[in-house]
Amino acid sequence: MSRAPNYEFQEWWNKQREKNNLEDNSDQPNSPSFHSIDVDNAGGSGAAVSVEKDRARSARQLSWVWLLRFQQIAGSLAWISNGLVILVRTANRRIITSPRADSASSRLYRVIRVFLIVVILLLGFEMVAYFKGWHFRPPSVASADVMGMVGIVYARWIQIRADYLAPPLQSLANLCTVLFLVQTVDRIVLILGCFWIKFRRIKPIASVDYESNAENGGVDVEDYPMVLVQIPMCNEKEVYQQSIGAVCILDWPKEKMLVQVLDDSDEADTQQLIKAEVQKWQQRGIRIIYRHRLIRTGYKAGNLKSAMSCDYVKDYEFVAIFDADFQPTPDFLKKAVPYFKGNDELALVQTRWAFVNKDENLLTRLQNVNLSFHFEVEQQVNGVFINFFGFNGTAGVWRIKALEESGGWLERTTVEDMDIAVRAHLCGWKFVFLNDVKCLCELPETYEAYKKQQHRWHSGPMQLFRLCFVDILRSKVSWAKKANLIFLFFLLRKLILPFYSFTLFCIILPLTMFLPEAELPAWVVCYLPGIMSILSVLPAPRSFPFIVPYLLFENTMSVTKFNAMISGLFRFGSSYEWVVTKKLGRSSEADLVAFGKESESEPLMRSTSLHRSTSDSGIEELSKLELSKKTAKAKRNRLYRKELALAFILLTASVRSLLSAQGIHFYFLLFQGISFLVVGLDLIGEQVS
């Protein structure tokens, strides 16, 4: 019997169901838990709980993601801070371990550092004025009261710079511009003179030709003059073998030539290596002697002076000088000595340098531009038109009588080659430059070596000018030659050039950005330096792609040249310091060919001499030892304080120029600042071992 339906319970159930649905729709948290008997409603409630759990899980995951990101950021900040600390420590260590700066360099660095601080402060002040709109509407002193204290200070600053700072800066800028124009005119005249020489095919004429006469059998050994060949060197173990070997195979009668190896090395192993090399060539029948001074005074000048005091020197008529890294071709003497024949007024025959490593890196390429202009333009033009130029210290042949009458080698400066050339010129002697006779040599491949070389080359002339100025005025040469020596040779090319290049582009140009009342025209900043660079690159046409790096690098080197010029002019300590230019001993194809021909012509003598020489095994061992030492050293770059400080000055000035929308000035300052930064970080050339 079926149970009767309970209508009362059904009615209650329906009411409770409707009530529960209303609570779910209004998100009421206090729903009765015993209503779970409704299957449909239980499913809806479970979905809601699942959504709440997903939301809670998403919040926790988001928190973990942010925690991970914070951890990564903290790790990155720790890595950056640690890197900065290491960078500062490394920079401090490399600056401290750098060679100690002289008093002039330290003073200059302190001035540059103060200048950098002032420029940074001015930039901050100008940035505030820029964001306030005062660059376009400068406040006046009368209306500055409504702009607050900053407006009053900026208005006063505008008045001070316009009335007191800009006029002297503008005068200095005008002076440097005039000097720049004079230098440009001088360079144009030299270029025109070089074109005239090439157009008219003007060349020195020799009265005798040893090469052609020797082929025809028309020259007797007695017709060859006695020639003394000197190779001064000091701790140059990388290049001594090449220079001695190249000199010993010179095509000249053996009985008419004597080779002096003038070793000033203070390293015992280097002395032994050079002695062994000299003994090897002595066993081959070459007249070569080894000289070493116990008292090493006067640097290279003292070394040459000591060698010329030997008694047997009076038997020789000419002396050829080659530095340790120079490799003359076998026919060098036959091409240079004939010009003395029948020309008793000729004192010096200077030949051109050729570089075996000119394409090694950017630094050597830029040096090649400079030296190509020096040889092909300056020395060739001066040699043809006035018979005078500065002796290069090597790859030249002197008449010994001219050396003696001019006073011989003096130890008073670090440019003994220029010293003897000036004194010989004042005595009336003439010089000849041979542009088509070349002597192989090396260029410095590291910025450190190049910087030391340039310091000596620019401090020495100022020493010499101070010492010989009175002698020039008292000499018996014509007033035209005196004027050429004083105004062109010394002042314009040795003093004015480094002065205006450093002052104009490293001091005045950045200051005009912060003192806009003093203007530097765009043609001074861009067009005139461009013309100068084009003129300088003309003798080396393959270097035209490097014309912009050459312009920037020359301005960068102006700080070194200016510092050296000041040191030499005011007799600071470093101006009398001689530092041997570090070379790497790179061989050229010409050397290999020359030595190959020698080995074919004298195989028996070479083999027997090598067996008889008891020191060759020692040479090999020492060479291996030095090679192992060289490879063991790690290469690193230095930091140069003055260059880095000037880099930040120029980059700061470029930011100020950008605020004023000065296009040419901005780009010049930007790229020049980058150039200083690259050089200051020692990123040009090979690194230092």
Side-chain angles (χ1 to χ4, degrees):
M1 173 172 190
S2 63
R3 186 176 180 178
N6 191 352
Y7 294 102
E8 185 179 357
F9 177 79
Q10 185 69 30
E11 184 179 359
W12 175 84
W13 176 258
N14 291 333
K15 291 180 179 179
Q16 292 295 330
R17 183 178 179 182
E18 292 175 358
K19 181 180 179 181
N20 194 26
N21 288 335
L22 291 173
E23 289 177 352
D24 288 339
N25 292 333
S26 59
D27 293 333
Q28 293 293 332
N30 299 322
S31 60
S33 60
F34 55 88
H35 292 162
S36 59
I37 57 174
D38 189 346
V39 177
D40 295 334
N41 189 47
S45 178
V49 172
S50 176
V51 169
E52 291 296 330
K53 288 183 179 180
D54 290 340
R55 289 179 180 177
R57 189 181 300 113
S58 300
R60 286 195 299 271
Q61 290 176 349
L62 186 62
S63 300
W64 280 109
V65 169
W66 279 110
L67 286 175
L68 288 174
R69 289 184 179 179
F70 280 128
Q71 186 178 5
Q72 292 175 352
I73 293 173
S76 301
L77 290 176
W79 180 81
I80 293 173
S81 61
N82 188 36
L84 289 175
V85 171
I86 295 175
L87 179 63
V88 171
R89 288 179 179 177
T90 304
N92 188 40
R93 183 173 65 252
R94 293 187 180 180
I95 290 175
I96 291 176
T97 56
S98 298
R100 191 171 183 178
D102 60 284
S103 57
S105 179
S106 299
R107 291 192 190 99
L108 181 61
Y109 172 68
R110 286 196 292 268
V111 171
I112 294 174
R113 187 173 57 186
V114 171
F115 185 31
L116 174 60
I117 295 173
V118 172
V119 165
I120 292 176
L121 293 176
L122 288 177
L123 178 62
F125 196 30
E126 295 292 341
M127 291 285 288
V128 174
Y130 178 80
F131 287 112
K132 287 183 175 294
W134 295 341
H135 276 254
F136 307 101
R137 295 178 182 177
S140 61
V141 178
S143 62
D145 295 336
V146 297
M147 299 183 181
M149 181 60 66
V150 179
I152 296 174
V153 173
Y154 189 72
R156 292 290 184 185
W157 162 244
I158 293 176
Q159 185 179 12
I160 291 173
R161 76 187 188 189
D163 296 340
Y164 301 103
L165 300 180
L169 181 63
Q170 187 65 61
S171 300
L172 183 60
N174 295 337
L175 173 63
C176 290
T177 303
V178 171
L179 296 178
F180 199 0
L181 289 172
V182 172
Q183 180 73 34
T184 305
V185 172
D186 175 64
R187 188 147 296 197
I188 292 174
V189 170
L190 289 174
I191 287 290
L192 292 177
C194 183
F195 282 148
W196 179 257
I197 291 173
K198 290 185 176 296
F199 177 72
R200 299 300 299 267
R201 298 181 181 178
I202 301 174
K203 289 184 179 181
I205 300 176
S207 59
V208 63
D209 188 353
Y210 287 114
E211 290 185 297
S212 61
N213 291 339
E215 293 176 359
N216 299 328
V219 178
D220 190 15
V221 175
E222 297 301 325
D223 294 336
Y224 287 87
M226 298 287 287
V227 178
L228 179 67
V229 182
Q230 296 177 333
I231 313 176
M233 58 181 64
C234 179
N235 297 328
E236 295 174 277
K237 65 184 69 175
E238 295 84 3
V239 294
Y240 75 94
Q241 221 167 6
Q242 300 174 12
S243 60
I244 294 176
V247 166
C248 288
I249 63 172
L250 285 172
D251 188 9
W252 200 258
K254 294 182 180 179
E255 59 272 21
K256 293 288 186 177
M257 183 181 72
L258 174 66
V259 180
Q260 285 182 321
V261 178
L262 311 177
D263 182 23
D264 256 5
S265 303
D266 55 2
E267 300 173 356
D269 57 343
T270 305
Q271 295 177 23
Q272 294 301 321
L273 287 169
I274 298 173
K275 282 182 182 178
E277 185 70 15
V278 170
Q279 292 174 2
K280 182 179 74 175
W281 286 102
Q282 285 175 344
Q283 293 170 1
R284 298 182 185 180
I286 302 298
R287 298 178 69 234
I288 181 173
I289 60 175
Y290 174 86
R291 280 181 55 85
H292 178 74
R293 295 190 300 161
L294 297 178
I295 303 176
R296 299 169 57 250
T297 58
Y299 303 111
K300 182 180 176 181
N303 198 2
L304 294 173
K305 182 179 179 180
S306 174
M308 294 299 293
S309 64
C310 298
D311 294 335
Y312 54 80
V313 173
K314 65 179 182 295
D315 299 328
Y316 293 84
E317 188 176 357
F318 306 105
V319 55
I321 302 173
F322 301 99
D323 283 348
D325 60 308
F326 277 72
Q327 306 161 40
T329 55
D331 59 351
F332 179 88
L333 291 179
K334 286 189 173 181
K335 289 182 176 179
V337 174
Y339 292 91
F340 290 99
K341 192 74 172 179
N343 191 355
D344 296 335
E345 296 180 347
L346 184 61
L348 168 67
V349 173
Q350 174 71 62
T351 64
R352 182 173 176 170
W353 300 356
F355 310 107
V356 298
N357 60 337
K358 64 182 179 180
D359 297 325
E360 189 65 28
N361 53 46
L362 179 60
L363 179 61
T364 58
R365 291 177 184 273
L366 300 180
Q367 292 179 69
N368 181 55
V369 174
N370 249 341
L371 291 172
S372 295
F373 183 88
H374 172 69
F375 290 118
E376 188 159 351
V377 180
E378 285 186 4
Q379 293 210 311
Q380 184 175 211
V381 170
N382 289 326
V384 168
F385 291 104
I386 61 177
N387 298 119
F388 169 72
F389 46 82
F391 175 45
N392 297 323
T394 180
V397 182
W398 275 92
R399 189 188 297 271
I400 295 180
K401 180 182 177 182
L403 285 176
E404 294 173 347
E405 289 186 359
S406 303
W409 300 104
L410 298 182
E411 306 168 10
R412 58 182 182 173
T413 70
T414 57
V415 284
E416 73 294 327
D417 44 10
M418 185 180 295
D419 189 0
I420 188 63
V422 170
R423 285 184 282 117
H425 181 60
L426 295 178
C427 291
W429 291 96
K430 296 181 179 180
F431 302 164
V432 165
F433 179 77
L434 303 180
N435 191 53
D436 55 348
V437 180
K438 299 179 181 179
C439 187
L440 295 174
C441 65
E442 280 190 37
L443 290 166
E445 295 184 13
T446 65
Y447 178 69
E448 182 188 19
Y450 180 64
K451 184 177 181 179
K452 291 177 179 178
Q453 182 194 68
Q454 292 300 305
H455 187 278
R456 177 165 55 86
W457 284 5
H458 286 82
S459 65
M462 290 299 98
Q463 303 171 22
L464 182 60
F465 178 66
R466 192 184 64 252
L467 293 172
C468 70
F469 178 71
V470 177
D471 295 333
I472 294 174
L473 295 178
R474 293 177 178 175
S475 64
K476 298 180 180 180
V477 297
S478 64
W479 281 102
K481 292 184 178 180
K482 293 179 182 179
N484 173 70
L485 269 176
I486 294 175
F487 294 108
L488 293 181
F489 187 75
F490 280 113
L491 290 182
L492 182 60
R493 296 165 190 164
K494 303 297 188 297
L495 188 147
I496 291 177
L497 177 59
F499 169 76
Y500 84 75
S501 58
F502 173 74
T503 307
L504 190 63
F505 296 111
C506 300
I507 302 297
I508 297 177
L509 180 58
L511 278 179
T512 56
M513 299 298 102
F514 297 96
L515 306 176
E517 293 80 7
E519 294 182 332
L520 204 59
W523 60 271
V524 177
V525 177
C526 180
Y527 304 121
L528 204 57
I531 293 173
M532 288 282 286
S533 300
I534 292 174
L535 295 177
S536 300
V537 175
L538 283 178
R542 291 181 56 192
S543 301
F544 262 100
F546 304 97
I547 188 168
V548 174
Y550 170 76
L551 168 62
L552 298 175
F553 182 69
E554 280 301 293
N555 291 335
T556 305
M557 285 302 300
S558 65
V559 60
T560 298
K561 297 176 181 179
F562 178 82
N563 179 51
M565 182 266 292
I566 295 296
S567 299
L569 193 61
F570 297 102
R571 304 169 61 179
F572 292 123
S574 67
S575 61
Y576 292 94
E577 181 183 3
W578 179 286
V579 180
V580 177
T581 305
K582 188 70 174 177
K583 303 296 174 61
L584 300 180
R586 298 191 183 275
S587 299
S588 63
E589 289 187 17
D591 299 321
L592 301 176
V593 172
F595 282 105
K597 291 181 179 179
E598 183 196 13
S599 62
E600 293 176 0
S601 61
E602 297 180 335
L604 183 59
M605 179 179 292
R606 178 185 290 269
S607 61
T608 55
S609 64
L610 288 175
H611 282 92
R612 286 183 301 170
S613 177
T614 58
S615 60
D616 279 353
S617 60
I619 296 175
E620 294 176 0
E621 295 299 325
L622 286 172
S623 299
K624 291 178 181 178
L625 178 62
E626 294 304 323
L627 182 60
S628 64
K629 289 181 180 178
K630 188 184 299 184
T631 54
K633 292 181 180 179
K635 290 186 175 181
R636 62 184 180 88
N637 46 357
R638 297 182 183 273
L639 296 178
Y640 298 97
R641 300 183 302 175
K642 293 192 293 294
E643 286 81 357
L644 288 176
L646 285 169
F648 292 125
I649 289 173
L650 292 170
L651 292 176
T652 304
S654 69
V655 175
R656 176 62 180 86
S657 175
L658 185 62
L659 298 179
S660 302
Q662 294 178 331
I664 292 179
H665 296 73
F666 166 72
Y667 288 114
F668 185 88
L669 287 167
L670 176 64
F671 290 117
Q672 191 64 69
I674 294 174
S675 175
F676 268 101
L677 188 63
V678 169
V679 172
L681 295 175
D682 197 13
L683 299 179
I684 186 172
E686 298 293 330
Q687 290 182 327
V688 181
S689 295

